[in-house]
Amino acid sequence: TKTAAVFQGRSWTFRECDELVENLRSHLVRDFDVQKGDTVAMLLPNCFAYFIAYWATVKIGAIVTPVNIRLRASELEHVVTNSEANVVFVHADCWADARETLAGVPQILRFITVGFEHEESASFEELIAGNAGAVDDPAIAGEDVAILMHTSGTTGKPKGAVMRNCDLLFNVKCAIIAQSFRHEDIHLLVVPMFHATALYSMLPSCAYLGSTVVITPENNVRELAKLIEQQRVTTFFGVPTMFHFLATLKGLEEFDLSSLRLIAYAGSTMPPSTIQRLRERLPGVA
């Protein structure tokens, strides 16, 4: 009955999430013939659908392939082709730009739409609403691949980096030790869910510890401060630019951020002046 996920003001318990995951998993297996070792691509911004699709895919023993929603057409086509995905979750915000590109992918793609309907495609909302029937639990080993994460392609085209289940568990244990993650934590998930931090550490750590994740695509720091106050968020992972805007936000004192205990950043170097300013304005945060 504990809250597992929060998105756009709505919350779901672990039991509710598990039911939705099982509904989607059964449809993926029965209707889309997704089996252990198959690849499922996700062209989605941060949203609750990503959370459910991630776990449904993992519980099949299939491989999650996150797709950066900011990719150029040629890169998008390469990632989906290279991953050999046959099923793609696609969000309404991404469809207009991706539709023509995905039509050029050599393998036959079947789409699961999120937030819109399209002929010859299945609706995510409809799939999670009803169970297609029980499916067998696969034997999933630590050495089995869980995620195929493509690199930024700084030395050519993006390359698929393999993350096994045992690697994810290693990341979870490291995150718990390094960040002192707790069962009681409420994590703000604002970093892109197509990125390593979210899929390698945040989501599996929340499941491992039974903690809560507040999912948002928002990057306006005033709105994020409001969300931290409303949801009593305890950890905030982001990039240095985001924390610069937070440290210099006018009226930051208007928000009750007393629940926040940890700020962490990655992606680039953080100016010492920003760290100092954050310490002054948020003295209770490590």
Side-chain angles (χ1 to χ4, degrees):
T1 57
K2 188 174 187 289
T3 299
V6 178
F7 180 64
Q8 294 183 338
R10 182 179 175 184
S11 62
W12 292 263
T13 65
F14 277 91
R15 178 181 294 121
E16 290 170 330
C17 287
D18 193 57
E19 290 175 357
L20 297 178
V21 165
E22 284 303 304
N23 289 351
L24 181 58
R25 182 171 80 116
S26 64
H27 279 291
L28 286 173
V29 172
R30 292 183 179 274
D31 302 343
F32 292 83
D33 195 30
V34 176
Q35 303 295 326
K36 177 182 175 181
D38 290 343
T39 307
V40 177
M42 299 184 185
L43 184 60
L44 304 168
N46 284 21
C47 59
F48 180 65
Y50 212 135
F51 179 91
I52 297 300
Y54 174 89
W55 287 115
T57 303
V58 167
K59 289 186 74 174
I60 292 171
I63 302 168
V64 175
T65 293
V67 183
N68 187 333
I69 61 173
R70 306 185 187 110
L71 289 179
R72 294 173 297 180
S74 60
E75 295 172 322
L76 170 59
E77 182 177 354
H78 168 74
V79 168
V80 176
T81 301
N82 184 61
S83 69
E84 298 182 349
N86 294 114
V87 176
V88 181
F89 286 86
V90 60
H91 194 273
D93 293 346
C94 306
W95 180 244
D97 293 334
R99 181 177 182 178
E100 185 175 343
T101 300
L102 293 174
V105 172
Q107 66 263 36
I108 297 174
L109 298 180
R110 298 183 67 188
F111 297 102
I112 297 176
T113 61
V114 178
F116 74 108
E117 293 185 0
H118 178 262
E119 60 183 9
E120 300 181 1
S121 298
S123 164
F124 168 82
E125 289 78 11
E126 292 182 1
L127 294 182
I128 64 172
N131 197 311
V135 293
D136 294 335
D137 292 324
I140 301 176
E143 296 296 321
D144 292 337
V145 178
I147 300 174
L148 185 65
M149 177 76 70
H150 283 77
T151 66
S152 58
T154 52
T155 56
K157 292 182 178 180
K159 302 168 184 64
V162 170
M163 178 65 63
R164 303 165 299 173
N165 288 297
C166 58
D167 301 323
L168 288 179
L169 187 59
F170 177 80
N171 268 17
V172 166
K173 292 180 178 180
C174 288
I176 292 172
I177 294 171
Q179 312 297 346
S180 299
F181 282 169
R182 309 164 185 169
H183 168 72
E184 298 80 11
D185 271 327
I186 300 174
H187 304 281
L188 181 63
L189 182 50
V190 63
V191 294
M193 292 176 76
F194 56 72
H195 195 265
T197 300
L199 297 191
Y200 290 2
S201 299
M202 297 290 287
L203 288 187
S205 292
C206 288
Y208 186 91
L209 290 172
S211 50
T212 301
V213 58
V214 179
I215 302 167
T216 179
E218 183 62 67
N219 55 24
N220 180 290
V221 291
R222 180 168 292 276
E223 293 302 314
L224 291 175
K226 186 186 301 183
L227 191 57
I228 292 170
E229 178 182 52
Q230 291 173 344
Q231 299 297 334
R232 306 304 295 160
V233 166
T234 61
T235 79
F236 181 3
F237 281 62
V239 295
T241 302
M242 186 176 292
F243 291 121
H244 165 74
F245 288 121
L246 181 67
T248 57
L249 179 65
K250 291 183 179 180
L252 182 63
E253 293 75 15
E254 300 170 10
F255 301 97
D256 178 7
L257 306 183
S258 58
S259 62
L260 198 60
R261 69 170 184 85
L262 173 68
I263 281 178
Y265 63 90
S268 63
T269 56
M270 176 84 91
S273 58
T274 299
I275 296 175
Q276 182 60 36
R277 186 65 172 142
L278 284 170
R279 286 176 174 169
E280 292 170 356
R281 303 194 76 181
L282 299 170
V285 179

